[in-house]
Amino acid sequence: MDSLIAASARALASGDALGALKRVALRDDPPALALRGIAMAQLGEHPRARELLRRAARGFGAHEALSRARCIVAEAEVALAMRDLGGSPRTLAAASATLEAHADRANALQARLIAARRLLLLGRLDEATAALAALDVRGLSPALAATAELAAAELSLRSLRVDAARAALARAHEAAGHARVPALVAEVAEAQAALDRPAARRLLASGEQTLRLDEVAALLASNALVVDACRRGVGTGDTWRPLARRPVLFSLARALAEAWPGDIDREALIASAFRTRHPDETHRARLRVEIGRLRALVKALAQIEATPQGFALKPLDARDVVVLAPPIDGDQGSLVALLSDGAAWSTSALALALGASQRTVQRALAELEAAGRVRAIGRARAQRWLAPPLAGFTTILLLPAALPIE
């Protein structure tokens, strides 16, 4: 390694991307291309960074497998920043194995950490938990340790283990302070700030009450019967009944919960569940069928009793009924939550993260764009979607698979 390459690498390690570029900007040999790519990534020029890293990987010969594997890992991190989640994880796994075989422990752990963060973005929390548990973080550099703790904190937040998230963020803050990388320090500070922002709304007869994540977690762990419009389900304590794939049943459950302790008439239930203001006998018959299905689903939690006007929710064991609403109104809350991180997402990546079809995501994006809540950049396959960061509250409850499902 020549002196300019070594100096550029040290500058990158300290977060000085411009200092690194000054030393290698005019060079086209593979090591310089790799360093230029990493520097451009740190400056936010991700497409250019990806191009440079791919050129560097092609430039390394067959006997330079270690350098090529490092380029693959760097490109995978750029893809993560670009929210390009459609690639095969096998390439990154093979690069990690190569790095392990060459005793490059730090970059091998970086590769595994990128894979775990990708799983988090896709909402595959069980797989992300297993991936993070397999990491041996002893002896890591401060920057890598901070990144690992940030991933652990995000996993805890999305599982509503707030105390564990606070502890992980405290460790991340300490490690980021030792690393002295401004961007990393800012990322940790932003994650810590999310803990104190409103995360959901509790609907009351007199209005609504905003709740932080720790307050939401306490409410879900309480004896109350919670109808959760953030995750679309009904639960109390450790018992959870998911209704995300049964929208009619959830609409009925929410309408009954909002009317508690009173009842709600049949016409209002039909309007809420079937989106019609002119019900006929077929709608009334369908309402009886759907109420029967909801009764069977929540029989361990509550009863649904018929009244002269309609139906009433009667929770077991004299529980209170709580309705949690998302901090963002509208049916596209999960989509807005993903876009609110400030990154540019492709339609395919959004579809992967939400578990929906690209056509469904495209229709939702068109509606949000018409309302001025998102904007598109680029065209055709290069098109990406952005939304302004939602600094007033955290959207963690709206992200995919945020709560465990029994």
Side-chain angles (χ1 to χ4, degrees):
M1 182 183 296
D2 62 51
S3 59
L4 284 178
I5 293 292
S8 179
R10 285 195 298 269
L12 282 177
S14 65
D16 182 10
L18 291 176
L21 281 176
K22 287 178 182 178
R23 294 169 173 85
V24 294
L26 300 178
R27 292 177 52 169
D28 284 329
D29 52 300
L33 287 173
L35 291 171
R36 286 169 58 191
I38 296 170
M40 296 303 289
Q42 289 187 5
L43 293 171
E45 297 291 335
H46 297 127
R48 178 60 174 159
R50 200 174 200 181
E51 177 188 346
L52 290 167
L53 288 166
R54 285 177 173 173
R55 285 176 57 192
R58 290 194 298 267
F60 287 115
H63 61 287
E64 297 174 299
L66 178 60
S67 296
R68 190 164 59 251
R70 288 172 176 168
C71 289
I72 291 171
V73 172
E75 185 188 341
E77 188 162 19
V78 171
L80 192 71
M82 294 175 67
R83 300 300 187 258
D84 183 355
L85 309 178
S88 172
R90 294 195 198 94
T91 304
L92 185 60
S96 177
T98 299
L99 293 166
E100 286 280 7
H102 287 80
D104 188 351
R105 179 173 175 269
N107 282 308
L109 282 172
Q110 175 78 340
R112 293 179 182 177
L113 197 53
I114 292 168
R117 290 165 61 198
R118 178 180 181 275
L119 292 171
L120 280 172
L121 278 177
L122 292 173
R124 292 153 63 176
L125 302 190
D126 290 340
E127 294 176 59
T129 300
L132 289 173
L135 294 179
D136 182 6
V137 298
R138 293 173 296 178
L140 289 181
S141 67
L144 201 54
T147 304
E149 294 294 353
L150 276 172
E154 183 179 354
L155 177 61
S156 297
L157 283 174
R158 298 196 42 195
S159 303
L160 285 184
R161 293 182 284 112
V162 180
D163 290 339
R166 287 189 189 278
L169 287 173
R171 295 190 295 269
H173 179 75
E174 182 180 0
H178 290 306
R180 297 180 180 178
V181 178
L184 190 56
V185 173
E187 186 176 356
V188 174
E190 173 63 22
Q192 289 177 317
L195 291 171
D196 298 320
R197 294 176 185 151
R201 296 174 293 144
R202 178 178 179 176
L203 303 186
L204 305 167
S206 57
E208 62 183 44
Q209 172 191 4
T210 58
L211 302 175
R212 299 189 309 272
L213 275 174
D214 56 348
E215 294 171 328
V216 172
L219 195 58
L220 292 172
S222 70
N223 191 46
L225 177 65
V226 180
V227 178
D228 185 358
C230 300
R231 287 287 97 188
R232 302 263 176 155
V234 180
T236 179
D238 294 330
T239 305
W240 176 254
R241 297 290 183 266
L243 295 173
R245 297 185 182 276
R246 306 182 77 171
V248 171
L249 295 190
F250 180 76
S251 294
L252 292 173
R254 178 170 178 173
L256 289 165
E258 289 181 1
W260 181 86
D263 63 352
I264 181 170
D265 63 69
R266 290 170 176 79
E267 283 70 22
L269 282 173
I270 289 171
S272 171
F274 307 140
R275 307 294 175 90
T276 180
R277 295 184 179 180
H278 305 287
D280 55 25
E281 287 304 318
T282 61
H283 293 108
R284 295 184 180 92
R286 186 182 174 193
L287 177 63
R288 291 193 292 271
V289 171
E290 299 296 347
I291 286 289
R293 290 172 176 165
L294 184 61
R295 275 197 185 109
L297 194 69
V298 301
K299 64 181 179 181
L301 305 173
Q303 296 177 345
I304 300 174
E305 298 180 355
T307 68
Q309 291 76 31
F311 296 92
L313 184 66
K314 302 293 183 183
L316 303 181
D317 301 326
R319 295 185 176 102
D320 289 333
V321 176
V322 175
V323 180
L324 280 183
I328 304 170
D329 288 318
D331 295 332
Q332 299 99 352
S334 297
L335 189 56
V336 175
L338 287 170
L339 291 170
S340 68
D341 63 1
W345 288 72
S346 66
T347 305
S348 59
L350 289 168
L352 273 174
L354 293 173
S357 69
Q358 285 197 50
R359 184 61 188 143
T360 299
V361 171
Q362 287 168 350
R363 283 197 297 266
L365 287 169
E367 293 174 9
L368 289 170
E369 186 178 29
R373 298 175 67 184
V374 302
R375 62 186 176 91
I377 56 174
R379 292 182 178 276
R381 296 184 66 181
Q383 188 177 59
R384 296 292 184 270
W385 292 90
L386 291 160
L390 299 168
F393 49 84
T394 177
T395 55
I396 200 76
L397 291 182
L398 292 171
L399 295 175
L403 293 178
I405 295 176
E406 294 187 347

